[in-house]
Amino acid sequence: MYRRLDENGGYHFNLVKYLLGMMPDAEITPDDVGFVSASAKGLPVDDALEAKAIQQCLGDVPVTALKSFTGFAGSAAGSIELAAAALALDRGQAPVT
């Protein structure tokens, strides 16, 4: 979807396009976003581009990256992220990474 990385910042451009494009469909604005659970795989180039895109689209929103604790959990990653997001919303705080 947006994972293509090239030397011209294609990953960043596509991620910004994806983030901005999904907000109208979800009927939200950047002000509605309380925190972001980033993909952040620990790859310096990808993580920096992802952080830049999040900042550009959402401003100063708290960002967490659970893979720094769990590693890549394969098919369980989505469930782990969903559980962490539900807990963060319930407790009113984002996990620290």
Side-chain angles (χ1 to χ4, degrees), residues 16-36:
V16 167
K17 184 177 172 183
Y18 175 76
L19 286 171
L20 294 176
M22 67 85 186
M23 283 190 248
D25 290 341
E27 299 179 359
I28 63 171
T29 68
D31 292 334
D32 295 320
V33 179
F35 87 100
V36 173

Side-chain angles (χ1 to χ4, degrees), residues 63-88:
V63 178
T64 189
L66 293 176
K67 286 186 188 91
S68 64
F69 291 112
T70 65
F72 181 65
S75 61
S79 298
I80 293 168
E81 296 280 342
L82 179 61
L87 285 170

Side-chain angles (χ1 to χ4, degrees), residues 4-11 45 49:
R4 186 170 177 201
L5 176 62
D6 63 35
E7 65 279 355
N8 298 315
Y11 176 90
V45 173
L49 290 172

